Amino acid sequence: MEYEGQIADIAIVRDLTANKQAELENRKLRDKAEMASRLAAIGEMAAGIAHEINNPLTGVIGFSELLATRGDLPKEVMADLQIINHGSQRVVEIVKRLLTFARQNKPVKTRLDVHELLDNTLEFRSYVFKTANIEVIRQYDPKLPWITADPGQLQQVFLNIFINAEQAMRKVHDGGKITITTTRKDQFLSIRIADDGPGMTPEVKAKIFQPFFTTKGPKDGTGLGLSLAMAIILDHHGTIEVESEYGQGTAFTINLPLDSETEASSNRTAVSPPIKASKRTASIMVVDDEEHICQLVSRVIEQMHHKAESFNDPTQALLKLESDSYDLILLDISMPGMSGLEFYSRIIAKRPELADRVIFMTGDMAAPGLEARLKQTDLMYIVKPFQPAALEQFLSKVLKEQLG
Ligand code: ADP
Ligand code: MG
C-alpha cells in the first residue's frame, strides 16, 4: 500500500510539472499571438492615419508651392510660405515612415528610392550612432534608378546590418566608421555596407547566414538577423554576400535587380531636368471626390497649357465619357460610391481605347491588394501627396508618349 502511494505521489508531482510546463508554453503562445495582433492593429491604424492625412496634405503642399512660384509676392509672405512648405514636407516624411512601419509584415512591393530608404533607416539609429561615436559615410551614386521592393522588409535587412556593425565595432574600439556605397552593376543595383570592426574568422564567416547562429549573448543576439536578411533578399531575386577578414572589418553587399519597370519610375519626386512639353493642347479629365485636389490638379494642368475638366462625382464623369473624349484621365482610387478601380473597369468595358490613358492617384499604397492590382495590370499611378512639379513632370512624360 505504502509503495503504491509513493508511486502515486511521484506521478502527481510529475503531472504538476508537466501541467506547469504546458501552461507556460501556452502563455508564451498567447503572448506571441497577442504581440502579433497588437502589431497588426498598430499597423492598420498607422495606415489609416496616413491615408487620412495624405489627401489634405496634398492640398497644403500643392497650393503653398504654387504660391511660391508666383513671383509677385512680398518677401515676408515668401518667408512664411517657406515655413509652411518645410513643415508640410516634414509631415510627408513622418507619414512615409508610418506607412513603412504599417507594411512591415506584408510583403508589399512598391517603387522606391533606395537612398531614401537607407537614410530613413539610418535615422532610426542616428542617436545611438552619435553617442557611440560612429561616423556614417554615404557614397551614393546619384544617378541610380528606383527599384521595386518591399520597403519594410528592406529596412529590416539594413537595420540588422547596421546594428551588427555597431555591436561589432563597439567591441574593438570607441566609435567606428560605417561606409555605405551604392552603384549600378549591369542590371543590378548594388549596396555595400562596410564597417571597420573586428571582422570575422573563417569559421564564423561560414555560418553567419544560418538561422540561430550567433556569437553574441542571449541579450544581444538571436542569430536570426542575417538568415532573415538572406530570405528577404532572395525573395527579391537578389543576392547578399559578405567579405570579412579577421581584424580587417566586414562588408555586406546586397545586389537587387533593376527591371525595365523601374526605369520608368512614375512617382519620383526628385527634381530632374524638365521634359519638353508636348506639341498640342491635351484635354484631361480629373476625377476626385475632394474638391481641393481637383483644383490643384487642374491648376497644374492649366499651367502646362492643357485643358482640364474636373469632376467630384464619378457618376457624372462616366456620363460625360459617353459623349466626350479625353487624352488622359486622372482618377482618384478611393472615392465614396464608386472606387477608382470600378470606374476604370466601367470605362474600359465601353471604351477600351481609354485603357492606357488612365492615371490613378492614390493616397494609400498600403491598401491590401491595391499595389498588386496596379502592377499586375501595368496601370499608371502617382502617389499622394505629390508636389505640383512632380505631377507636371509625370504628365509631360505620359503626354509626350501619347501625343508625341
Ligand atoms: P545576431 O546579430 O543576432 O548574432 P545575425 O544573423 O545578425 O545574428 O549575425 C550572426 C553573426 O554574424 C553575429 O553573431 C556575428 O558573429 C556575425 N556578424 C554579423 N555582422 C558582423 C559584423 N559586421 N562584424 C563582425 N561579425 C558580424
Ligand atoms: Mg544581428
Side-chain angles (χ1 to χ4, degrees), residues 125-144:
R125 302 308 290 173
S126 69
Y127 177 75
V128 182
F129 283 173
K130 216 174 276 165
T131 49
N133 203 16
I134 290 169
E135 189 193 352
V136 179
I137 297 164
R138 291 162 223 226
Q139 299 174 332
Y140 292 170
D141 177 350
K143 291 192 302 286
L144 288 182

Side-chain angles (χ1 to χ4, degrees), residues 70 75 140 185-186 212 264 268 304 349:
R70 267 173 60 148
K75 247 209 208 127
Y140 292 170
K185 281 191 213 145
D186 302 322
F212 302 110
R268 184 190 278 262
M304 294 171 72

Side-chain angles (χ1 to χ4, degrees), residues 160-161 164-165 167-168 195 198-200 204 208 213-216 220-227 250 252:
N160 182 56
I161 294 177
N164 281 346
Q167 289 173 330
D195 67 56
M200 302 172 209
V204 168
I208 55 168
F213 174 79
T214 180
T215 55
K216 298 166 193 170
D220 289 328
T222 57
L224 283 174
L226 288 172
S227 55
T250 299
F252 285 92

Side-chain angles (χ1 to χ4, degrees), residues 101-169:
F101 175 80
R103 290 187 194 124
Q104 207 99 62
N105 289 319
K106 313 164 217 150
V108 180
K109 289 187 185 172
T110 181
R111 292 214 190 126
L112 58 88
D113 176 354
V114 163
H115 296 151
E116 195 180 311
L117 192 66
L118 280 165
D119 288 344
N120 260 345
T121 315
L122 284 167
E123 191 74 14
F124 281 126
R125 302 308 290 173
S126 69
Y127 177 75
V128 182
F129 283 173
K130 216 174 276 165
T131 49
N133 203 16
I134 290 169
E135 189 193 352
V136 179
I137 297 164
R138 291 162 223 226
Q139 299 174 332
Y140 292 170
D141 177 350
K143 291 192 302 286
L144 288 182
W146 287 23
I147 56 165
T148 304
D150 183 309
Q153 291 191 341
L154 277 194
Q155 190 158 50
Q156 221 173 326
V157 173
F158 297 151
L159 197 59
N160 182 56
I161 294 177
F162 292 147
I163 293 173
N164 281 346
E166 178 189 313
Q167 289 173 330
M169 292 189 298

Side-chain angles (χ1 to χ4, degrees), residues 14 24 27 38 153 159 174 207 211 247 254 258 306 315-316 352 355 359 376 397:
R14 208 196 268 140
L24 215 72
R27 185 177 314 153
R38 222 181 288 161
Q153 291 191 341
L159 197 59
D174 176 27
K207 293 194 190 125
I254 295 167
L258 297 166
H306 294 304
T315 321
Q316 295 280 325
I359 298 173
Q376 194 187 358
K397 199 161 133 189

Side-chain angles (χ1 to χ4, degrees), residues 20 32 47 65 68 83 87 132 137 142 244 254 280 306 308 339 378-379 384 395 398 400:
K20 229 181 207 159
K32 227 175 167 178
E65 207 159 283
I83 295 173
I137 297 164
S244 185
I254 295 167
R280 85 171 163 82
H306 294 304
S339 81
D378 207 22
L379 299 170
K384 293 183 210 170
L395 287 177
V398 176
K400 207 173 160 216

